[in-house]
Amino acid sequence: MGEEIVVIEGDGIGREVVPAALEVLEAFDLGFEFVSAEAGDATEEATGEALPAETYELAADADATLFGAAGETAADVILPLRDAVDSFVNVRPARAYPGVDAVRPETDVVFLRENTEGVYSGHEGRLSEDLSTLTRVVTSSASRELAEFACEFVTDGRGPVGGPEDGFTVAHKANVMRETDGRFRDEVLSVAEERGVDADEELMDAFATKLPLDPTQYGVVVCPNLAGDVLSDLAAGLVGGLGLLPSANVGHDNALFEPVHGTAPDIAGQGIANPTAAVLSAAMLLEYLSYGEEGQRVRDAVEGVLSDGPRTGDLGGDATTDEVTAAIVDRL
Amino acid sequence: MGEEIVVIEGDGIGREVVPAALEVLEAFDLGFEFVSAEAGDATEEATGEALPAETYELAADADATLFGAAGETAADVILPLRDAVDSFVNVRPARAYPGVDAVRPETDVVFLRENTEGVYSGHEGRLSEDLSTLTRVVTSSASRELAEFACEFVTDGRGPVGGPEDGFTVAHKANVMRETDGRFRDEVLSVAEERGVDADEELMDAFATKLPLDPTQYGVVVCPNLAGDVLSDLAAGLVGGLGLLPSANVGHDNALFEPVHGTAPDIAGQGIANPTAAVLSAAMLLEYLSYGEEGQRVRDAVEGVLSDGPRTGDLGGDATTDEVTAAIVDRL
Ligand SMILES: CC(C)[C@H](C(=O)O)[C@@H](O)C(=O)O
Ligand SMILES: CC(C)[C@H](C(=O)O)[C@@H](O)C(=O)O
């Protein structure tokens, strides 16, 4: 029996793009055992819970999970799911593809986003009628674990070229958050030094100015949680939107893969959603499970289709999700 | 005797662009009394303090302050100065100019950034060997005060077109920071409703994707402190960099004006810095002091020079700071 993969379509176009990604995975006949699970707005309506305990447990016990998107309940679904797979890093590649309209076609950046703390560990409170607080948390241990991952990532040659040679850039706001982002920055840079990996740093606001001006300055970018959220979404805007961006939430012996896009309610249910981000998330899943060759074949097929195959409406075409998916499967 | 204006050149190109802005202000003969004060890296080296108490007091007692830039000590200078003038909003226009190379030449957005709280109120601590925290603060009073300002701003027609008609967009991360950014969002939207101003909202990560894709979707954008820092710097990248961006820190009966750029150590001391951001900050100062006509004349002169006058190196020309300044003064 092969690896157990939990499949959560979620809401909106999640119900269209996840089946497309599954079709691609099934084309390899790797003996995966797919287990469906429910989460999202519709699940909350039906059961009272956006993320039922059963789904959480399934994801926690699986070898990997493929997730689509959730609507209003997104945070209630995705944040616990990241926890279920014990994920400490969110890997978010943002690259432009030849032939796809992009504000900055030279963009090729991978964000390694801390995935457990910062404002997301969420100790919030209403202290008075007038005042609320949120306590942001940064630990050396989480910062160092992320940095170790980043060092391996660049040493394995998995990062794009750009930024310090074979190294990475740390983006942070340690000039204001001196103690917390200062700790993050110091730990990440010190791990890089111990590992002999080149690393430089950039204030996150300066990064937000400089990325659009010249994305080729950057390759692998290591960030605290919220910084990684915003800066990777900025990069998405430069490569032409969210329709192409996959992501991996990697844990110690489990992982969760999801397109960066949401449920796209304006086009949901019409069969015209772009499956690319979900299919590329499946490619990341294959690579994570050590099916590197298969993952590469998926990437090549996707690139081929993007350059001269059918396109969905978001890329200026009029193909359906099924047509694009069939074209990808055809090229595997 | 006219208004008292404190002038702080600071470090690096601050020492070149602030005199340029002063030359423009002096051209009007409005009877301003200019008072010089010191702050920044050089001041810290000389006196042990980046922002001497005397400078703080001068800024606090003045009618307005014009500041250049500070180097390593930037946060130690600018954050207390914002406090000195009791500033609750940071006004950051980001627009592209005809003839200036920009990633997104259609960009014309004004950020109204909360200027007192969020992570900037800075209750940070090292709780253990491994763990540090920062307590982020959001109050209804500060959120509502910002919103009142935003409503007046759009009602007075001071905002660019884009976003909700004659209204504004609130950018936040209330899906994660539910209690703090939730409070911010709710208060801002409720003030808008009370004032009959159109307002919509956007998650700050979605905003970071959508602004590069189509900046004309937005006009006036109201943000918490750090969100405003990062998103306005992103907009700076879309209009071609920081050389053109002025800002105003507005308080109750005092204000501080500063170019968004830093000290530019690579070109400092050579007399080739672009004075535009500082000169436009002076225009904001004029408008703040009710010299609206003079402010407009400065803007017109700057635009004229940008479209067919001499240019500094950052804009592809080879003019000096003095030549550009003289050309601006010439057109007043
Ligand atoms: C839905 C939300 C909680 C989530 C996040 O902020 O991490 C999303 O924006 C993302 O980036 O996956
Ligand atoms: C220097 C720094 C403290 C400051 C800020 O974060 O506000 C700067 O980035 C700015 O935007 O004026």
Side-chain angles (χ1 to χ4, degrees), chain A residues 173 175-176 205, chain B residues 74-75 78-79 82 92 113 120 229 258:
Chain A
K173 188 76 187 178
N175 60 338
V176 170
D205 49 334
Chain B
I78 192 63
L79 301 181
R82 287 177 186 158
R92 300 196 161 198
R113 168 184 175 188
Y120 286 76
D229 179 48
E258 41 159 350

Side-chain angles (χ1 to χ4, degrees), chain A residues 74-75 78-79 82 92 113 120 229 258, chain B residues 173 175-176 205:
Chain A
I78 191 62
L79 300 182
R82 287 177 186 158
R92 300 198 162 196
R113 167 184 175 187
Y120 286 76
D229 179 48
E258 41 160 349
Chain B
K173 187 78 186 175
N175 61 337
V176 170
D205 49 336

Side-chain angles (χ1 to χ4, degrees), chain A residues 167-250:
Chain A
F168 59 77
T169 301
V170 198
H172 60 77
K173 188 76 187 178
N175 60 338
V176 170
M177 302 190 273
R178 295 177 182 196
E179 181 60 40
T180 49
D181 267 22
R183 185 190 280 268
F184 178 83
R185 187 250 337 256
D186 292 349
E187 294 291 6
V188 171
L189 291 178
S190 108
V191 169
E193 204 184 328
E194 285 157 37
R195 296 279 168 275
V197 165
D198 270 359
D200 59 17
E201 55 175 310
E202 192 85 81
L203 290 170
M204 68 185 281
D205 49 334
F207 183 91
T209 301
K210 290 163 84 173
L211 189 73
L213 288 174
D214 178 12
T216 65
Q217 298 171 77
Y218 302 105
V220 176
V221 185
V222 176
C223 312
N225 207 339
L226 184 61
D229 179 48
V230 177
L231 299 179
S232 67
D233 270 20
L234 156 56
L238 301 180
V239 305
L242 297 166
L244 305 176
L245 273 74
S247 75
N249 299 276
V250 178

